[in-house]
Amino acid sequence: MGDFRMPSLGADMDHGKMVEWLVKPGDYVHRGDVVAVVDTEKTVMDIETFEEGVVAELLVDVGTTVPIGTPLARITATPDDGTGAMPPAETHGPLSPPVRHLAHQLGVDPGSIRGTGRHGAVTRSDVERAAALVPVPAAPEPAPAAPEPAAPHVEDDGGNRGRVRSSPLARRLAAERGVDLSAVAGTGPGGAVTEGDVLHAAAAAPAPVPPGGAAPEAPASPELTVPEVPATAEEPAARPAEDRQREASLRRAVGALMSRSKKTIPHYYLSTTLDMGAAVAWMQSVNLQRPVSSRLVPSALLLKAAALAARDVPEVNGLYVDDEFRPSQAVHLGVAVALRKGGIVAPAIHDADQLPVDTLMEQLRDLVSRARAGRLQRAEMADPTITVTNLGDLGVESVFGVIYPPQVAMVGLGRLMEQPWAHEGMLGVRPVVTATLSADHRVSDGLRGARYLARLDELLQKPEEL
């Protein structure tokens, strides 16, 4: 059929490191199935294949760094069963390959899940909720006189005693989520602990309760950017050399891309103040009828309005490639996410203009969580058509972003604040947000940019229609 190659995962990527193979020779893969995990200088991503057939050979070992376009695996046509007929391909319910892969990892039957996505599609959140409802079998009663067994010693692939057999990704996830690998029952080959095993263990672990009493109430939604938490006595300031090197590498990659952007893209900048009075009033009335966990936040309304405005003003939504602008019919909204160990990535919420606000907020929560856990997918990093950066939670009033090539515009959102506002001849105090637009003068001009910001403001005056 063809070779599965190292894909390009963004304008600033020229190589990637193989972190984990999710398939082995002899496995049948469908077009779009997640088959590998790759580490770029910015984040770790799930990579899907564009070929369908049988994995004949893995060409790149785990831990190897190769340029984009390098063949990673060879995929051949499905062998027949001796009768000349091709075996039927496996059928699946209404869910994407990455979601199907997650269901397999968590031991959930996709056919038993009720989808909440568009047209009844099963989402990652649906799978995770279903996995949380799977009963955990009770541990058998220990024999009264039996001595406590010693901690198991499992050899890893290199023959080292005392180390639990596990994949590199499982070890990284365990370290991030505070899971003791020696206490996790492995379901992989030879009893190896897999990513799914770690996720199960992390989900089953009880939430810590602060010394003062009950656990705090969970926030209604994730923030788009979060400041780094300073080191404490329980968390030493010193970080592993690998983390420092990774952060330095990420900074170099981002710096090189932004330098190229400023040198090659003729930026122009506009700003306006958005009247958030109607949006905040509507949001508060809706939230009164909801539990805390499903309440809306201003960021969700701003993102939906930004996506709709991009659809209505197509000159800011698309890619500039090979000296020409290619407008996009779809609005894949890139969202800047601050990583816990430093740096920023901007993965996309696909078809954001078509999503209900609740679904968009759910996908935002999922995207932020996976970005910080290093579980992004190739398409989420490769195809944003316009990006939004929000620094309002850090107290910033306005931000003028640098365009992420080959995109042609970046939207900046500041913090929600109150300020004097004249409305219908009366002076009062209104909640407002400063919105900025950085756009490419090769594609649009101040008139088109002003229309975008005006449309953004207009949409927020009728929040019930978002």
Side-chain angles (χ1 to χ4, degrees):
M1 297 285 284
D3 289 336
F4 166 57
R5 297 174 179 272
M6 176 67 74
S8 174
L9 305 174
D12 54 340
M13 175 185 172
D14 56 14
H15 61 269
K17 179 180 179 181
M18 179 60 64
V19 173
E20 184 175 11
W21 280 108
L22 303 177
V23 295
K24 61 184 183 300
D27 285 350
Y28 185 88
V29 294
H30 296 79
R31 181 181 176 86
D33 281 350
V34 176
V35 298
V37 181
V38 169
D39 187 0
T40 72
E41 289 183 316
K42 298 185 73 172
T43 189
V44 178
M45 281 181 266
D46 293 338
I47 308 299
E48 64 270 26
T49 176
F50 293 101
E51 302 290 341
E52 181 164 346
V54 173
V55 179
E57 183 182 6
L58 303 181
L59 304 176
V60 173
D61 294 331
V62 170
T64 304
T65 299
V66 296
I68 60 173
T70 300
L72 302 177
R74 185 162 294 115
I75 298 175
T76 62
T78 308
D80 62 40
D81 57 5
T83 65
M86 302 291 281
E90 182 182 0
T91 59
H92 299 282
L95 71 167
S96 65
V99 175
R100 184 169 67 244
H101 173 65
L102 177 65
H104 174 73
Q105 289 179 318
L106 298 182
V108 177
D109 177 14
S112 66
I113 303 174
R114 179 179 177 274
T116 61
R118 292 183 62 207
H119 308 303
V122 178
T123 67
R124 291 182 64 93
S125 297
D126 297 332
V127 173
E128 290 167 351
R129 278 195 295 269
L133 296 175
V134 175
V136 179
E141 291 290 334
E148 183 177 347
H153 289 275
V154 182
E155 287 190 2
D156 69 358
D157 293 336
N160 299 321
R161 298 293 298 178
R163 181 179 177 184
V164 176
R165 186 191 301 273
S166 56
S167 70
L169 183 56
R171 291 195 292 273
R172 182 176 59 76
L173 284 176
E176 289 177 352
R177 304 192 179 200
V179 174
D180 180 7
L181 283 178
S182 65
V184 179
T187 61
V193 176
T194 67
E195 172 198 2
D197 299 330
V198 174
L199 292 175
H200 264 307
V209 178
E217 206 171 47
S221 73
E223 297 292 345
L224 298 190
T225 53
V226 175
E228 292 297 319
V229 179
T232 63
E234 292 79 14
E235 184 181 353
R239 294 178 297 152
E242 181 180 351
D243 286 350
R244 295 195 299 271
Q245 292 172 0
R246 181 179 182 82
E247 181 176 347
S249 177
L250 187 151
R251 295 293 185 190
R252 286 194 299 270
V254 172
L257 182 65
M258 294 299 98
S259 295
R260 177 160 65 89
S261 173
K262 293 293 285 185
K263 290 177 181 178
T264 60
I265 299 177
H267 287 59
Y268 71 89
Y269 305 95
L270 302 173
S271 72
T272 192
T273 301
L274 304 175
D275 178 4
M276 295 291 291
V280 170
W282 177 82
M283 182 188 70
Q284 290 175 342
S285 66
V286 169
N287 284 344
L288 288 175
Q289 306 169 28
R290 298 184 173 201
V292 173
S293 60
S294 61
R295 289 178 181 172
L296 296 173
V297 294
S299 292
L301 302 181
L302 287 165
L303 289 179
K304 180 59 185 293
L308 288 172
R311 183 186 67 189
D312 295 342
V313 185
E315 291 86 355
V316 302
N317 183 57
L319 308 177
Y320 194 87
V321 181
D322 296 331
D323 294 325
E324 67 175 352
F325 174 56
R326 300 178 183 176
S328 174
Q329 297 298 317
V331 180
H332 300 325
L333 193 66
V335 180
V337 179
L339 304 179
R340 292 193 176 96
K341 294 182 180 180
I344 292 177
V345 294
I349 299 176
H350 290 118
D351 300 311
D353 60 315
Q354 301 180 31
L355 300 176
V357 174
D358 285 291
T359 304
L360 189 150
M361 194 170 76
E362 179 181 328
Q363 291 197 14
L364 171 65
R365 183 183 295 113
D366 172 63
L367 197 69
V368 172
S369 174
R370 289 188 293 107
R372 290 175 175 167
R375 300 302 304 170
L376 292 173
Q377 298 160 19
R378 182 207 62 82
E380 292 168 338
M381 289 298 295
D383 63 2
T385 58
I386 183 172
T387 293
V388 175
T389 179
N390 184 342
L391 295 177
D393 62 297
L394 297 179
V396 173
E397 294 185 8
S398 61
V399 52
F400 291 86
V402 179
I403 299 170
Y404 190 102
Q407 298 170 44
V408 298
M410 161 97 55
V411 181
L413 299 172
R415 68 184 178 96
L416 182 68
M417 59 184 179
E418 293 185 335
Q419 73 175 36
W421 191 269
H423 180 67
E424 296 181 350
M426 300 293 291
L427 184 63
V429 176
R430 308 275 285 187
V432 300
V433 165
T434 298
T436 64
L437 176 70
S438 307
D440 188 337
H441 235 316
R442 296 171 299 180
V443 177
S444 64
D445 50 34
L447 176 62
R448 298 293 180 181
R451 285 181 179 175
Y452 174 83
L453 292 178
R455 182 58 178 152
L456 179 61
D457 184 64
E458 181 183 353
L459 289 164
L460 289 166
Q461 305 317 307
K462 298 179 179 180
E464 67 280 358
E465 296 180 6
L466 291 176

